[in-house]
Amino acid sequence: MRNRFDILHVGTGKTQMKWFRSLLAGSLAFTAACASGPQTKTSVLPEKPAPSAASAQKPEQGTPVAQPAPQAPAPKEGTATELFTAALQAYEAGDLDSARHGFEKALAKDPRSLNAQFNLGVIAERQGRNDDARVAYEKVLLLEPGHVPSAVNLAALHRKQGHTDEAIALLEKALKQPGREHDASLLNSLSVTYRVAGKLNESESAARRVLVRSKDNPEAYKNLAQVAYARGQFRLAELLTGTALKHAEKDASLYNLLGMVYLKLDDRTRALAQFQKAVSLDDRFAPGYLNLGAMALSYRDYVGAERSFTKATELEPDSTEARLYLAWALDGQKGRDPKKGLAAGEAFEKVLAARADLQEAVCGAGWAYAADRAGWEKAIAFLDRCKGLQGTTEQDKQMLTAKVQGLQNMLKAPPPAQAAEGAGEKKNEATGGAGSVLNQLPQEQGEAPAEGEPSADGSAAASDAASPSGDTAEEGTNAAASGTQSPASAAPAAPAQNGAATGSPAKDAAQGVKAPAPGGAPAPSQVQ
């Protein structure tokens, strides 16, 4: 079964106002869900229904029997198996609502169907209904405490919410079930959980338990590589990742992890190649796009960064970090096109819808909207709000006050006549008040590289990479639709170490993906 990545965690941008800037911090989340077809708990049911009283009574010969008026036959709803199959087809076609209703009908026909209940949990995750997903997985585990896919996905949900102790207890309990003591999926998930909790020795021990019985297990080698990365043993991490690739050469998350390692080794050219390889293998691998966007930001390739972060937000609409970086990529282009400033302001507002007091987004929106007259009123409101935030220094407040007064004065004046075409065109650089986070990134001497190209020596990428895995934050879980024991990736989340992301029903296995990158300039994300 494939593992699954879950969402990526990205560091916030930094403006001239000395806000924190960090590279995307990679996070990986496992979710393995295996189920083959609609399995049910055995139960004693009558083979045939008992005959009804009416059917038992035969009319006396010669006595006419009144014939009821012909009625249209009631539409057949199908058996539980037929409903399950139809729901699975709807899921694979991307129709999650129809799939959900289908699995609900199948479950109504057969309340003890493990796969139907499990798949409802996977769909709930993909639709962002994490509480419903948790309830669905718990119902499966109530019927079958040793159901591995549900235990793995539920543990990933706990990790995502920061409840690592609950995740550890859940996995340890599942491992105590008969026949599950050496289950590789449970042990790999436990290794991830321990690493996220900062317990690296325990994480390493769990991964080595897998290799005792399965010496070629790529997920176990990936977990060991993640532990080595977290310990700063980057050459060892490179070696272990290479070993994992021998057994899983098409695993996008491994190339993403290798890219993170090369960033730490200050080999940005090879890092870029690995991130590109990751998305070429899986064009829905959000962490790879995040990392490519972060590297583009570090090279001041704002157009390329916008392209990558836009893709990442399409794959993970709920990722606050991806939207924040997209806002900075747009902000970096406002010097040449003030309308990009308005787009950046809108992107910052979407971030604030999820994190209302995030300073980078509040102040960033103010400076972005200040780029165009159409956004000046909003700019004034956001800059005033920025002044009142706790992290704003006295020097910053003076600058903000001056900017607000300038905007207010300009609003009182009539709009200037349309400037001559091409006049005053600026170079591709971040401008305005606090400016873009890109102004704070380490840059080489001389001109910025051409759009989409790294600098000649491949430097200027994020330096202080955070852990390549989603140790601090976990990705969501995903499970494959039931039917064939194969992993499925979906979403709530980012890079995956093992396979599926939340959002796939149980075919047999579920995976999850999620990941951010190192800390320095916004940097690439990582996957588990």
Side-chain angles (χ1 to χ4, degrees):
M1 295 188 307
R2 277 172 41 191
N3 231 352
R4 141 192 111 171
F5 285 80
D6 285 32
I7 187 165
L8 73 101
H9 291 332
V10 182
T12 55
K14 176 181 178 182
T15 68
Q16 291 177 354
M17 302 176 65
K18 301 179 182 176
W19 298 322
F20 289 112
R21 174 191 59 190
S22 62
L23 298 180
L24 304 180
S27 37
L28 311 176
F30 284 90
T31 339
C34 303
S36 42
Q39 302 172 348
T40 58
K41 298 284 287 183
T42 54
S43 58
V44 180
L45 297 174
E47 290 291 332
K48 298 179 181 178
S52 65
S55 63
Q57 296 176 352
K58 295 183 179 180
E60 296 179 4
Q61 292 186 356
T63 305
V65 179
Q67 298 295 327
Q71 296 180 354
K76 285 189 175 182
E77 196 174 56
T79 64
T81 300
E82 292 170 339
L83 290 169
F84 184 96
T85 301
L88 191 57
Q89 291 173 346
Y91 174 86
E92 292 174 339
D95 189 350
L96 297 185
D97 288 334
S98 294
R100 175 187 178 184
H101 295 148
F103 287 125
E104 286 174 344
K105 289 179 179 179
L107 195 60
K109 288 268 187 179
D110 184 359
R112 299 180 71 81
S113 171
L114 297 181
N115 276 13
Q117 186 69 70
F118 172 80
N119 287 350
L120 286 173
V122 171
I123 291 172
E125 277 200 79
R126 289 203 60 180
Q127 294 182 328
R129 297 180 289 107
N130 289 338
D131 287 341
D132 291 341
R134 177 182 54 77
V135 170
Y137 295 144
E138 288 176 345
K139 286 182 178 178
V140 175
L141 292 172
L142 188 62
L143 292 171
E144 179 51 71
H147 193 264
V148 174
S150 294
V152 171
N153 279 14
L154 184 55
L157 275 179
H158 286 320
R159 288 195 302 265
K160 182 181 177 182
Q161 297 168 348
H163 304 153
T164 53
D165 288 343
E166 293 182 28
I168 291 171
L170 171 69
L171 293 167
E172 292 283 13
K173 179 180 179 181
L175 284 164
K176 292 178 181 178
Q177 298 302 313
R180 301 298 187 194
E181 297 88 349
H182 306 285
D183 187 275
S185 295
L186 292 173
L187 286 170
N188 276 323
S189 183
L190 184 61
S191 177
V192 174
T193 307
Y194 275 130
R195 190 178 67 252
V196 171
K199 300 179 179 180
L200 300 183
N201 291 339
E202 291 84 348
S203 176
E204 178 181 358
S205 176
R208 293 194 179 282
R209 286 173 62 187
V210 176
L211 295 175
V212 169
R213 298 231 172 178
S214 179
K215 64 183 180 64
D216 296 330
N217 188 287
E219 299 306 325
Y221 283 111
K222 185 191 300 185
N223 281 331
L224 290 176
Q226 297 280 5
V227 170
Y229 183 97
R231 289 171 171 165
Q233 300 169 331
F234 304 121
R235 287 300 181 187
L236 177 59
E238 179 186 17
L239 175 63
L240 290 167
T241 305
T243 303
L245 280 170
K246 291 179 181 179
H247 307 291
E249 61 182 11
K250 294 189 181 299
D251 185 345
S253 71
L254 286 172
Y255 293 97
N256 191 71
L257 173 56
L258 195 55
M260 299 293 299
V261 171
Y262 287 141
L263 277 180
K264 280 295 192 180
L265 294 174
D266 201 26
D267 190 344
R268 287 152 177 83
T269 300
R270 296 178 75 182
L272 178 62
Q274 299 306 315
F275 297 140
Q276 291 172 334
K277 177 71 171 179
V279 298
S280 70
L281 287 172
D282 183 358
D283 63 0
R284 297 188 60 79
F285 186 65
Y289 290 107
L290 283 171
N291 286 348
L292 287 173
M295 292 195 76
L297 275 184
S298 69
Y299 296 132
R300 295 184 181 242
D301 174 12
Y302 303 134
V303 174
E306 178 188 356
R307 194 161 47 239
S308 293
F309 289 133
T310 296
K311 180 67 174 180
T313 56
E314 290 172 355
L315 295 173
E316 294 186 350
D318 297 329
S319 172
T320 301
E321 293 84 357
R323 290 198 177 279
L324 181 62
Y325 278 131
L326 174 59
W328 287 122
L330 292 166
D331 183 81
Q333 302 173 63
K334 68 187 179 187
R336 285 177 31 173
D337 182 1
K339 298 301 180 186
K340 289 290 187 178
L342 297 179
E346 293 172 357
F348 281 122
E349 288 199 75
K350 289 180 180 178
V351 174
L352 291 171
R355 299 178 62 182
D357 296 324
L358 184 63
Q359 184 161 0
E360 288 92 333
V362 173
C363 302
W367 290 112
Y369 278 127
D372 189 271
R373 186 182 185 92
W376 286 352
E377 291 186 355
K378 281 192 171 184
I380 292 170
F382 278 110
L383 292 174
D384 277 335
R385 182 175 165 189
C386 179
K387 281 197 301 183
L389 295 178
Q390 186 174 2
T392 304
T393 66
E394 289 302 320
Q395 182 179 359
D396 292 336
K397 290 178 181 178
Q398 293 176 12
M399 180 174 63
L400 289 166
T401 299
K403 184 65 176 179
V404 168
Q405 290 175 348
L407 291 174
Q408 290 171 336
N409 292 335
M410 288 190 291
L411 277 174
K412 295 175 183 177
Q418 184 68 29
E421 183 176 356
E425 182 172 328
K426 298 182 182 180
K427 294 183 179 180
N428 185 12
E429 59 184 2
T431 60
S436 163
V437 59
L438 303 174
N439 289 334
Q440 310 302 320
L441 300 181
Q443 296 294 324
E444 294 298 318
Q445 296 296 324
E447 284 190 353
E451 179 178 309
E453 298 181 12
S455 56
D457 61 356
S459 63
S463 50
D464 296 328
S467 129
S469 66
D471 296 358
T472 41
E474 278 255 317
E475 303 97 55
T477 54
N478 270 329
S482 290
T484 68
Q485 278 187 352
S486 62
S489 73
Q497 216 175 359
N498 289 335
T502 55
S504 346
K507 276 186 174 178
D508 273 65
Q511 304 170 344
V513 175
K514 258 188 184 191
S525 9
Q526 178 176 356
V527 180
Q528 282 185 291

